[in-house]
Amino acid sequence: VNLGKSHFYSKDAFYDNKSVFAIEAGLAAKIKMSRFLSLQPGIMYERTGSQTQYGKLQLNSVTPHIDLLLTTPATDISRPVSFLGFGGYYRYHFAASLEGNSFDFEEQYFKTEAGLRAGLGIQYRKTQLSYMLEYGLDNVSKITADGDIFSRGGFISVIRYF
């Protein structure tokens, strides 16, 4: 489960859209590659968005992601492990709402986007707590008058491994 804020950012506009509450939930795995490296793939359902000039826009998405974790070595399971994570994501938007009402976003926004993820965290036994930043690389707006618009977000993440 990830809780945080997301917003749209434009290099071409004099303003930055305000953040809205965002939530993500899904599945993740952790594959230990070496003493200091792990791979963490996952898939999330997301409800992200931004306060826009038209109101509060919220997007429902499915997002697979993969992160490479640079970890401290764990010599004992009872000792916490800290990590730095770097990775990428691919987001598919399948529905949207504007000010709480269903919104046909396909005329104004692209259905897909890719981006980068980075963060840090700690894992103790089978519970992981982290803070991840998401940095969209693809323009999400089809309206050229708005300029290029990119998604941004910051999330506190709690993962429980079974």
Side-chain angles (χ1 to χ4, degrees):
V1 174
N2 298 342
L3 299 174
K5 292 191 170 197
S6 66
H7 70 281
F8 293 148
Y9 165 78
S10 175
K11 296 187 277 192
D12 304 320
F14 64 91
Y15 63 91
D16 197 11
N17 289 309
K18 292 185 178 166
S19 296
V20 297
F21 176 74
I23 187 167
E24 303 175 340
L27 300 172
K30 188 172 176 184
I31 304 161
K32 192 156 183 75
M33 297 171 51
S34 73
R35 188 172 179 205
F36 297 101
L37 289 175
S38 293
L39 203 58
Q40 188 172 42
I43 187 161
M44 308 292 280
Y45 160 77
E46 299 179 336
R47 185 156 172 90
T48 59
S50 185
Q51 191 71 25
T52 70
Q53 61 194 13
Y54 308 109
K56 183 178 178 181
L57 173 67
Q58 293 199 289
L59 300 168
N60 295 299
S61 313
V62 173
T63 305
H65 64 84
I66 191 160
D67 297 321
L68 182 64
L69 306 181
L70 177 61
T71 65
T72 56
T75 55
D76 183 351
I77 193 169
S78 65
R79 298 180 69 84
V81 174
S82 57
F83 64 88
L84 293 174
F86 304 95
Y89 68 85
Y90 179 80
R91 186 172 286 148
Y92 174 77
H93 307 293
F94 60 86
S97 65
L98 184 63
E99 288 297 315
N101 299 312
S102 184
F103 174 63
D104 182 14
F105 68 99
E106 292 184 52
E107 290 181 24
Q108 296 178 22
Y109 298 96
F110 292 106
K111 290 186 88 159
T112 62
E113 66 171 292
L116 299 174
R117 295 166 42 93
L120 53 97
I122 190 166
Q123 180 178 335
Y124 180 67
R125 297 187 183 234
K126 293 188 175 197
T127 303
Q128 177 178 302
L129 177 65
S130 63
Y131 183 76
M132 297 297 285
L133 294 172
E134 292 183 350
Y135 186 91
L137 297 176
D138 293 335
N139 179 16
V140 297
S141 178
K142 291 182 178 179
I143 301 172
T144 57
D146 287 346
D148 291 342
I149 297 174
F150 303 92
S151 62
R152 301 286 190 264
F155 299 90
I156 295 174
S157 173
V158 178
I159 297 175
R160 176 75 177 156
Y161 295 103
F162 297 98

